[in-house]
């Protein structure tokens, strides 16, 4: 980097020299600067100092953006040329006055353990009158019968004519007079506290107990704003809302994105191992050497009863095709008393091919050929049975899909093979619905030996943000399903993944728990828990300064679903998919 072009200041303090760089505040520079590895920044700064200040031993280098410290480069020894590490960005200081967050155009700073805030905050938020004398750089603050005089760079103040000494004097930063908030507040007999964890100054305030609110029926933005002592404008800003329209179940941020609130703790949720007749793991192999599903199967085989290998796609001729062999998983399962099912799908190029599947199902000849192909595959590879995962069908083939399951069972059943159907989740039946209308729970439950419900993807990457599978939604699906299908035939799907969305936008992406762990290490913060949804989530700001929200499933959220499955008498659970989960995920599942 060319450090010459940035404004800089060399100061001498306590016998040491310190160099300050004032960096641009534009987003494009921030993005490019963040992409430069720390080691390269350190080296380039060191080389610049050696060239620009060859005869001066500089103790530290501070990088500033406005009044905020972006990072500090510290000499391990002031007499050495070896430098320490750049500090990472820190969360900005929050100010909460009379239980309202106060926003400022100049961020507060900490000097000598004291928080300095723009004088404007005092005037607008504490009901005080502020007068500024430019010539002498003096601020006069009046509230009721109290008058305070503060002068820039002077560690003395007058309160109603009495002299007080300050630990830290007021100072002018970016054209704003920054004053010690505690001194001013206490002078007005207003209680002041500091919460170090959330980096919040609390003036006649307490920390809020929640950071988010789930929209309920009848709610409006105005009512929510009044409930949380904020404004509609702030709610729209914090949640990237373009209009006042909100929907039931929407999660709204009710405090500034930069504010940190602990909220309900997942630590209090006890993980109990549940035992099921069926613990099914879906396995995949996307390319040679892709072994995540196999490794999970190997590591957790004492808890897994069944696998379904996502291995065989249907063709337009009614035959089957497989890109990669799953012999290794079948062989391992056989040796470890795990039943294997050959999964039949209509996935093509990353999406489910509706037309391909419907063309085969609607043609009796092709449907019969497909059934024969399935029988041959099951016999050839030694599967226990077949898992049908044909998705995206239109409601027009409702009867044909049910007939296919009936005919498949008639062919495989007498030979001792099982037929299992994986179905999309729904909480009521609408035969005309073009996403779930094709799947007649009652008919399919009559013919199939087992039905796996995909009780995940309540929210997905292409839609609005929200839980992968909120408890209430899953409960609604299960309660409908047990009315149509015998509970001992039902298996509850459990997602082992999450989605990452831009706040208030669509266009998210799937993420694993390992990626989320990476976010935590890179961006900081903590995993939050929503007790309404019984689901964890995480908020962060990415490298481009965009606010993001991640919803995912883990061993804690799964606990509530396991308990529901047992309470409704279900056969078991099915995990999509093996290899996405971490070791903690298995703590809630008992050994066979």
């Amino acid at each position: 980097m060319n450090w010459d072009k940035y404004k800089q200041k060399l100061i001498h303090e306590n016998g040491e020299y310190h160099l300050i760089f004032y960096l641009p505040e534009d987003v494009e520079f921030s993005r490019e600067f963040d992409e430069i590895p720390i080691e390269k920044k350190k080296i380039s700064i060191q080389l610049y100092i050696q060239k620009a200040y060859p005869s001066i031993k500089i103790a530290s280098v501070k990088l500033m953006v406005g009044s905020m410290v972006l990072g500090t480069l510290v000499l391990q020894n002031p007499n050495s040329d070896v430098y320490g590490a750049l500090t990472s960005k820190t969360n900005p200081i929050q100010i909460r006055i009379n239980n309202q967050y106060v926003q400022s155009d100049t961020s507060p700073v900490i000097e000598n353990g004291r928080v300095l805030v723009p004088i404007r905050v005092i005037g607008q938020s504490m009901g005080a009158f502020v007068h500024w004398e430019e010539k002498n750089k003096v601020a006069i603050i009046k509230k009721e019968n109290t008058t305070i005089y503060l002068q820039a760079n002077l560690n003395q103040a007058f309160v109603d004519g009495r002299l007080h000494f300050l630990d830290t004097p007021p100072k002018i930063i970016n054209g704003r007079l920054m004053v010690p908030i505690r001194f001013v507040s206490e002078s007005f007999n207003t209680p002041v506290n500091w919460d170090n964890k959330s980096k919040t100054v609390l003036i006649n305030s307490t920390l809020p107990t929640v950071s988010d609110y789930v929209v309920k029926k009848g709610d409006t933005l105005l009512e929510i704003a009044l409930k949380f002592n904020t404004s509609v404008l702030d709610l729209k800003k914090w949640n990237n809302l373009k209009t006042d329209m909100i929907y039931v179940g929407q999660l709204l941020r009710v405090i500034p994105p930069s504010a940190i609130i602990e909220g309900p703790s997942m630590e209090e949720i006890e993980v109990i191992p549940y035992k099921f007749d069926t613990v099914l793991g879906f396995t995949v192999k996307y390319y040679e050497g892709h072994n995540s599903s196999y490794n999970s199967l190997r590591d957790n085989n004492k808890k897994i009863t069944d696998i379904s290998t996502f291995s065989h796609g249907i063709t337009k001729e009614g035959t089957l095709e497989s890109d990669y062999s799953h012999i290794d998983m079948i062989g391992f399962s056989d040796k470890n008393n795990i039943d294997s099912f050959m999964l039949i799908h209509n996935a093509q190029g990353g999406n489910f091919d509706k037309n391909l599947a419907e063309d085969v199902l609607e043609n009796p000849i092709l449907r019969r050929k497909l059934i024969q192909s399935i029988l041959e595959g099951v016999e050839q590879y030694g599967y226990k049975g077949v898992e049908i995962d044909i998705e995206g069908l239109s409601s027009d083939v409702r009867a044909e899909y049910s007939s296919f399951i009936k005919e498949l069972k008639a062919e495989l059943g007498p030979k001792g093979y099982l037929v299992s159907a994986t179905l999309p989740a729904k909480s009521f039946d609408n035969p005309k619905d073009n996403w779930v209308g094709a799947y007649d729970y009652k008919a399919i439950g009559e013919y199939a030996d087992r039905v796996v419900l995909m009780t995940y993807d309540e929210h997905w990457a292409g839609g609005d943000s929200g839980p992968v599978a909120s408890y209430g939604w899953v409960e609604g699906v299960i309660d409908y399903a047990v009315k149509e299908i015998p509970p001992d035939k039902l298996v509850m799907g459990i997602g082992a993944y999450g989605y990452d969305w831009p706040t208030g936008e669509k266009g998210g992406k799937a993420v694993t728990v390992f990626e989320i762990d990476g976010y935590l290490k890179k961006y900081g913060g903590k995993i939050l828990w929503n007790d309404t949804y019984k689901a964890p989530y995480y908020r962060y700001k990415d490298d481009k300064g965009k606010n993001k929200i991640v919803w995912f499933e883990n061993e804690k959220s799964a606990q509530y679903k396991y308990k529901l499955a047992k309470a409704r008498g279900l056969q078991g659970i099915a995990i999509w998919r093996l290899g996405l989960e971490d070791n903690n995920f298995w703590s809630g599942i008992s050994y066979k």
Side-chain angles (χ1 to χ4, degrees):
M1 295 183 66
N2 182 9
W3 297 99
D4 272 323
K5 66 181 182 179
Y6 303 122
K7 181 181 177 182
Q8 52 193 272
K9 182 179 181 181
L10 185 66
I11 61 174
H12 188 261
E13 190 174 75
N14 297 325
E16 294 179 340
Y17 285 96
H18 304 273
L19 182 62
I20 302 174
F21 286 102
Y22 297 93
L23 304 178
E25 296 187 48
D26 62 276
V27 175
E28 187 64 24
F29 171 83
S30 178
R31 181 184 65 79
E32 293 177 357
F33 187 79
D34 284 347
E35 290 176 353
I36 300 174
I38 286 179
E39 285 302 318
K40 286 190 176 182
K41 291 173 186 160
K42 289 165 58 179
I43 292 172
S44 67
I45 290 174
Q46 183 177 0
L47 292 175
Y48 173 77
I49 289 174
Q50 290 173 350
K51 178 181 177 182
Y53 303 95
S55 60
I56 299 176
K57 290 292 184 181
I58 295 177
S60 71
V61 176
K62 187 176 289 185
L63 306 179
M64 303 284 293
V65 174
S67 63
M68 292 301 298
V69 179
L70 183 67
T72 302
L73 188 65
V74 183
L75 282 168
Q76 293 181 353
N77 183 327
N79 296 317
S80 166
D81 288 331
V82 181
Y83 289 83
L86 277 167
T87 63
S88 61
K89 294 181 182 178
T90 58
N91 290 313
I93 297 168
Q94 303 294 324
I95 305 171
R96 189 166 165 84
I97 301 177
N98 297 326
N99 284 319
Q100 280 190 306
Y101 281 97
V102 176
Q103 303 300 304
S104 170
D105 58 356
T106 301
S107 298
V109 297
I110 297 178
E111 294 282 347
N112 297 326
R114 300 299 183 190
V115 179
L116 304 184
V117 301
I119 191 67
R120 182 178 63 84
V121 171
I122 303 296
Q124 291 185 352
S125 303
M126 297 186 66
F129 170 78
V130 179
H131 175 68
W132 172 246
E133 291 185 358
E134 176 63 29
K135 181 179 179 180
N136 297 315
K137 301 292 189 289
V138 172
I140 304 170
I141 311 168
K142 293 183 178 182
K143 183 181 179 185
E144 297 174 350
N145 297 321
T146 300
T147 303
I148 303 172
Y149 285 80
L150 290 166
Q151 186 172 0
N153 304 316
L154 184 66
N155 64 348
Q156 298 177 1
F158 288 89
V159 180
D160 294 334
R162 298 181 61 182
L163 177 64
H164 293 259
F165 291 95
L166 306 175
D167 295 335
T168 300
K171 59 176 56 180
I172 296 174
I173 299 176
N174 291 339
R176 298 288 186 186
L177 180 68
M178 309 291 284
V179 299
I181 185 66
R182 178 178 289 276
F183 174 77
V184 174
S185 299
E186 290 181 345
S187 297
F188 289 137
N189 295 316
T190 305
V192 182
N193 289 294
W194 167 254
D195 186 82
N196 189 58
K197 182 173 287 187
S198 64
K199 297 291 185 292
T200 304
V201 180
L202 297 166
I203 301 173
N204 195 32
S205 300
T206 57
L207 276 178
T209 57
V210 297
S211 59
D212 299 283
Y213 173 74
V214 178
V215 176
K216 297 177 175 58
K217 186 177 181 180
D219 279 341
T220 66
L221 273 183
L222 178 58
E223 290 171 336
I224 296 170
L226 293 173
K227 179 182 178 70
F228 292 97
N229 207 17
T230 186
S231 68
V232 170
L233 189 63
D234 280 339
L235 286 179
K236 293 173 73 172
K237 177 182 176 183
W238 298 338
N239 294 281
N240 196 28
L241 301 177
K242 305 298 188 295
T243 70
D244 289 355
M245 294 292 292
I246 52 178
Y247 56 88
V248 174
Q250 185 175 7
L251 189 77
L252 292 181
R253 183 86 181 185
V254 293
I255 63 173
S258 52
I260 302 171
I261 298 297
E262 291 292 327
S265 174
M266 288 193 299
E267 303 304 319
E268 300 172 2
I269 302 172
E270 183 182 3
V271 177
I272 301 170
Y274 282 88
K275 187 176 181 63
F276 296 100
D277 292 337
T278 296
V279 176
L280 166 68
F282 289 100
T283 68
V284 301
K285 190 172 185 179
Y286 294 138
Y287 53 84
E288 286 300 340
H290 182 225
N291 297 320
S292 63
S293 287
Y294 178 85
N295 292 339
S296 176
L297 173 63
R298 178 198 61 206
D299 295 343
N300 302 290
N301 70 85
K302 290 181 173 56
K303 297 186 175 185
I304 298 171
T305 65
D306 300 56
I307 63 168
S308 287
T309 62
F310 198 90
S311 52
H312 291 76
I314 62 178
T315 70
K316 61 182 180 180
E317 292 83 16
T319 58
L320 298 176
E321 60 181 2
S322 178
D323 292 330
Y324 299 101
S325 170
H326 287 67
I327 292 297
D328 52 350
M329 282 184 258
I330 300 170
F332 182 88
S333 297
D334 288 344
K335 293 177 182 178
N336 290 276
N337 195 31
I338 296 172
D339 291 335
S340 300
F341 287 76
M342 181 173 69
L343 188 145
I344 309 301
H345 62 80
N346 60 321
Q348 295 280 325
N351 295 301
F352 288 95
D353 193 328
K354 163 183 174 293
N355 295 326
L356 168 64
E358 291 181 359
D359 287 346
V360 173
L361 292 177
E362 290 178 316
N363 187 319
I365 296 175
L366 292 179
R367 197 165 72 219
R368 181 63 189 168
K369 189 174 181 180
L370 177 58
I371 291 171
Q372 288 301 314
S373 297
I374 291 171
L375 175 61
E376 292 170 7
V378 168
E379 292 177 333
Q380 178 183 352
Y381 295 107
Y383 282 106
K384 176 76 171 182
V386 62
E387 188 80 52
I388 303 301
D389 183 18
I390 299 178
E391 300 183 34
L393 299 177
S394 69
S395 59
D396 294 339
V397 294
R398 179 182 173 102
E400 287 80 1
Y401 181 85
S402 296
S403 295
F404 169 63
I405 298 298
K406 180 181 180 181
E407 294 161 9
L408 185 61
K409 176 59 182 175
E411 185 67 35
L412 270 63
K415 298 176 175 61
Y417 298 117
L418 299 179
V419 174
S420 179
T422 296
L423 305 181
K426 60 181 178 179
S427 55
F428 62 94
D429 189 29
N430 178 5
K432 298 299 182 183
D433 186 279
N434 268 329
W435 175 246
V436 295
Y439 307 95
D440 184 345
Y441 275 19
K442 194 172 192 66
I444 296 166
E446 180 182 346
Y447 307 134
D449 297 295
R450 179 177 72 194
V451 174
V452 179
L453 298 176
M454 292 186 283
T455 39
Y456 39 78
D457 276 4
E458 175 189 4
H459 296 86
W460 63 295
D464 294 314
S465 63
V468 174
S470 67
Y471 179 81
W473 176 76
V474 173
E475 184 180 38
V477 172
I478 298 302
D479 285 348
Y480 166 70
V482 295
K483 295 175 184 176
E484 305 295 315
I485 303 169
D488 60 1
K489 279 190 175 186
L490 283 170
V491 174
M492 177 193 290
I494 304 289
Y497 57 92
Y499 289 112
D500 178 2
W501 290 271
T503 300
E505 299 179 21
K506 295 179 172 62
K509 65 174 183 177
V511 290
T512 66
V513 290
F514 305 106
E515 290 174 292
I516 296 168
D517 285 343
Y519 290 168
L520 283 165
K521 292 174 183 176
K522 182 174 182 180
Y523 302 111
K526 67 171 291 183
I527 301 300
L528 302 174
W529 176 261
N530 185 283
D531 208 43
T532 300
Y533 294 141
K534 308 297 184 196
Y537 65 105
Y538 172 63
R539 291 185 182 273
Y540 71 100
K541 182 173 290 189
D542 68 12
D543 294 335
K544 297 180 179 179
K546 201 172 190 68
N547 289 316
K548 308 290 282 293
I549 184 169
V550 181
W551 287 96
F552 63 102
E553 293 289 296
N554 65 4
E555 72 280 3
K556 306 282 189 173
S557 58
Q559 275 289 293
Y560 293 93
K561 299 175 179 69
Y562 298 159
K563 184 177 181 180
L564 176 64
K566 295 296 287 187
R568 298 298 188 270
L570 305 192
Q571 181 185 130
I573 60 169
I575 301 164
W576 179 266
R577 65 169 174 83
L578 296 186
L580 295 178
E581 80 290 354
D582 61 6
N583 290 332
N584 293 330
F585 190 86
W586 293 96
S587 59
I589 300 173
S590 177
Y591 290 100
K592 292 184 285 190

